[in-house]
């Protein structure tokens, strides 16, 4: 009993570590880390727009709030310095005929409020710049221009973050498992994909990459070696009419990397199948890419997907997503090589073949009948 539990625990740990080692998660995120990068992190500031867009919302909002508060407080200090140098503050006891640079600035708090009013163009009318000093006029112009730049950049970044096609990709879903079964008399690897919105993806194109570790004839070990996997539907793999769930399939022929795999050895393989779907969002005309991956434990040999589309009495087509990832066991050859051998044997049964060892010998007939 103890040995059984130990085996189960060890297999669970192996499976868990294997699932963690995948390059692309089920939701399309890439699990990769860059180490010992020679370039400084300040190079990301050169492309500040992309850097801001790639940040998570909590960091983006922190930068957004900090930019506004920081600029308001910085210019509040400058307005306070202007008032201090011009001796407009109450502690200097200005005369009745004294004209300040900014009306009604009595301290740091009022200078901060005036900075806020200037940058966001609120204009309450209580505090205002006078024509007494050119420094205040220059500072007013500079803050107004800088405020427009900050406001435009931050609002544009938030709007671009909201409208990014990555959010559209979340409404494209793949089946939890891939299956291997016969389709059209051929052994195929099948995956189901669905569009959860009624709006289409224009010019959709689907393809795959098989990632595995290979050793070249020269002895070089290549980790994450990429092999192209062609996926098709009955109408082709480009310009898909993606209005209802589609079942895409890859034909396992002699050119396929799955040709030498069998049902008994599939779980012993070390590979990751990454599937890509590219398209253009109909509403925004922005390009969109959806990714997912499958490891050997998620590839079911000898199964097919359950039907998902039906037609109601009213003539409408109904998609039942309860059966989206549901699979049904079917009779399937345990390897692609066996299927092709079976087809070849059946084809030979229908043909005649010459026997090169057959020799026709003539026999002389003698008549034993006597008259």
């Amino acid at each position: 009993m103890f040995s059984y539990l130990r085996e189960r625990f060890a297999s669970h740990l192996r499976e868990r570590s294997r699932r963690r080692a995948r390059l692309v998660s089920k939701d399309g995120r890439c699990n990769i880390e860059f180490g010992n990068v020679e370039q400084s992190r300040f190079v990301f500031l050169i492309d500040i727009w992309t850097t801001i867009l790639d940040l998570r919302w909590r960091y983006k909002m922190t930068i957004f709030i900090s930019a506004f508060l920081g600029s308001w407080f910085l210019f509040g200090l400058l307005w306070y310095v202007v008032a201090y140098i011009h001796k407009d503050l109450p502690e200097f006891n200005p005369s009745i005929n004294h004209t300040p640079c900014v009306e009604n600035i009595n301290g740091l708090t009022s200078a901060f409020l005036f900075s806020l009013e200037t940058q966001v163009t609120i204009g309450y009318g209580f505090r205002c710049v006078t024509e007494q000093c050119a420094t205040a006029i220059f500072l007013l112009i500079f803050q107004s221009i800088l405020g427009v730049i900050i406001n435009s950049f931050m609002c544009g970044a938030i709007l671009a973050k909201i409208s990014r096609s990555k959010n559209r990709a979340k409404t494209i879903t793949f089946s939890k498992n891939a299956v291997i079964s016969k389709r059209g008399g051929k052994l195929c690897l099948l995956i189901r994909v669905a569009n959860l919105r009624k709006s289409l993806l224009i010019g959709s194109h689907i393809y795959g990459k098989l990632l595995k570790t290979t050793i070249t004839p020269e002895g070089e070990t290549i980790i994450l070696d990429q092999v192209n996997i062609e996926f098709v539907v009955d109408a082709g793999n480009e310009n898909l009419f993606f209005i209802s769930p589609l079942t895409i399939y890859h034909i396992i022929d002699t050119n396929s990397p799955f040709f030498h795999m069998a049902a008994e050895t599939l779980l012993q393989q070390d590979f990751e199948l990454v599937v890509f779907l590219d398209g253009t969002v109909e509403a925004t005309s922005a390009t969109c890419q959806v990714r997912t991956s499958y490891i050997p434990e998620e590839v079911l040999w000898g199964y097919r997907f359950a039907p998902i589309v039906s037609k109601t009495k009213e003539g409408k087509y109904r998609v039942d997503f309860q059966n989206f990832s549901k699979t049904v066991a079917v009779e399937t050859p345990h390897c692609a090589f066996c299927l092709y051998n079976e087809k070849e044997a059946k084809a030979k049964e229908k043909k005649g073949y010459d026997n090169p060892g057959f020799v026709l010998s003539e026999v002389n007939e003698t008549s034993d009948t006597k008259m």
Side-chain angles (χ1 to χ4, degrees):
M1 182 65 181
F2 179 74
S3 60
Y4 172 76
L5 293 176
R6 184 173 58 184
E7 262 181 36
R8 292 283 295 178
F9 182 71
S11 63
H12 174 72
L13 289 180
R14 285 195 300 269
E15 182 180 355
R16 187 177 179 182
S17 62
R18 192 172 186 178
R19 288 179 182 271
R20 285 183 177 180
R22 67 195 312 159
L23 178 66
V24 180
S25 63
K26 298 297 288 184
D27 58 355
R29 296 182 181 181
C30 296
N31 180 26
I32 191 168
E33 180 181 352
F34 297 101
N36 299 324
V37 180
E38 295 182 359
Q39 293 181 341
S40 173
R41 293 185 179 271
F42 289 101
V43 297
F44 295 100
L45 297 178
I46 299 175
D47 187 12
I48 187 64
W49 179 255
T50 305
T51 303
I52 293 294
L53 289 183
D54 289 339
L55 289 177
R56 296 186 177 182
W57 275 109
R58 53 179 176 268
Y59 303 125
K60 185 187 295 291
M61 294 307 298
T62 301
I63 294 176
F64 181 84
I65 296 172
S66 300
F68 280 102
L69 291 179
S71 61
W72 295 339
F73 184 74
L74 175 62
F75 280 99
L77 289 177
L78 294 179
W79 286 116
Y80 180 80
V81 170
V82 170
Y84 185 85
I85 294 175
H86 199 254
K87 296 183 179 181
D88 297 334
L89 300 176
E91 56 262 29
F92 292 105
N93 296 320
S95 61
I96 299 176
N97 298 327
H98 178 76
T99 303
C101 289
V102 181
E103 295 282 354
N104 300 310
I105 285 188
N106 302 318
L108 186 59
T109 303
S110 57
F112 174 80
L113 292 176
F114 179 72
S115 172
L116 189 152
E117 295 171 14
T118 301
Q119 188 162 329
V120 300
T121 63
I122 294 177
Y124 290 122
F126 182 69
R127 300 179 182 87
C128 60
V129 176
T130 63
E131 67 277 6
Q132 183 65 26
C133 52
T135 305
I137 299 175
F138 174 78
L139 186 59
L140 176 66
I141 296 173
F142 183 72
Q143 184 178 6
S144 299
I145 295 175
L146 186 62
V148 171
I149 295 175
I150 295 176
N151 191 38
S152 301
F153 184 86
M154 291 301 172
C155 293
I158 291 180
L159 181 61
K161 180 76 170 180
I162 295 174
S163 59
R164 288 187 75 178
S165 57
K166 184 184 293 186
N167 298 325
R168 178 65 174 91
K170 295 180 180 179
T171 56
I172 306 296
T173 180
F174 288 88
S175 58
K176 181 180 179 182
N177 298 99
V179 297
I180 295 179
S181 60
K182 292 174 63 176
R183 185 183 181 94
K186 301 177 181 179
L187 192 65
C188 301
L189 183 142
L190 301 97
I191 296 172
R192 179 171 278 174
V193 58
N195 179 14
L196 301 181
R197 288 185 179 273
K198 292 184 178 181
S199 59
L200 300 178
L201 284 180
I202 305 172
S204 300
H205 172 65
I206 195 161
Y207 57 97
K209 299 286 184 180
L210 187 70
L211 308 179
K212 60 180 181 178
T213 301
T214 59
I215 300 177
T216 62
E218 295 77 17
E220 180 185 2
T221 302
I222 303 178
I223 301 177
L224 297 180
D225 186 23
Q226 300 183 14
V227 180
N228 290 327
I229 302 294
E230 293 294 333
F231 282 98
V232 295
V233 294
D234 294 333
N237 64 341
E238 294 185 358
N239 299 324
L240 306 177
F241 185 48
F242 203 10
I243 191 63
S244 63
L246 298 176
T247 300
I248 61 174
Y249 59 91
H250 163 71
I251 301 175
I252 304 178
D253 52 11
T254 54
N255 298 322
S256 172
F258 295 95
F259 183 77
H260 299 286
M261 299 182 188
E264 297 82 2
T265 62
L266 180 63
L267 296 179
Q268 301 173 5
Q269 304 293 328
D270 185 15
F271 67 85
E272 181 177 351
L273 176 62
V274 184
V275 184
F276 303 86
L277 174 63
D278 297 339
T280 303
V281 182
E282 187 179 24
T284 61
S285 299
T287 57
C288 172
Q289 184 181 86
V290 193
R291 299 180 294 267
T292 191
S293 68
Y294 299 92
I295 57 178
E297 288 81 0
E298 297 170 346
V299 180
L300 307 179
W301 195 296
Y303 289 83
R304 65 172 175 82
F305 291 110
I308 191 174
V309 180
S310 60
K311 193 173 183 179
T312 62
K313 296 180 180 179
E314 294 79 10
K316 295 182 178 180
Y317 292 94
R318 182 175 182 272
V319 180
D320 186 8
F321 280 95
Q322 186 177 359
N323 294 336
F324 180 73
S325 295
K326 186 178 180 180
T327 56
V328 180
V330 292
E331 184 179 353
T332 306
H334 74 283
C335 66
F337 189 73
C338 299
L339 176 62
Y340 288 101
N341 284 345
E342 181 183 350
K343 287 184 177 180
E344 186 178 354
K346 289 182 179 179
K348 287 181 178 180
E349 290 179 359
K350 300 179 181 180
K351 298 179 180 179
Y353 294 89
D354 292 334
N355 186 359
F358 178 78
V359 178
L360 177 64
S361 59
E362 296 182 358
V363 180
N364 295 325
E365 296 181 357
T366 57
S367 179
D368 294 338
T369 305
K370 296 180 179 181
M371 297 300 295

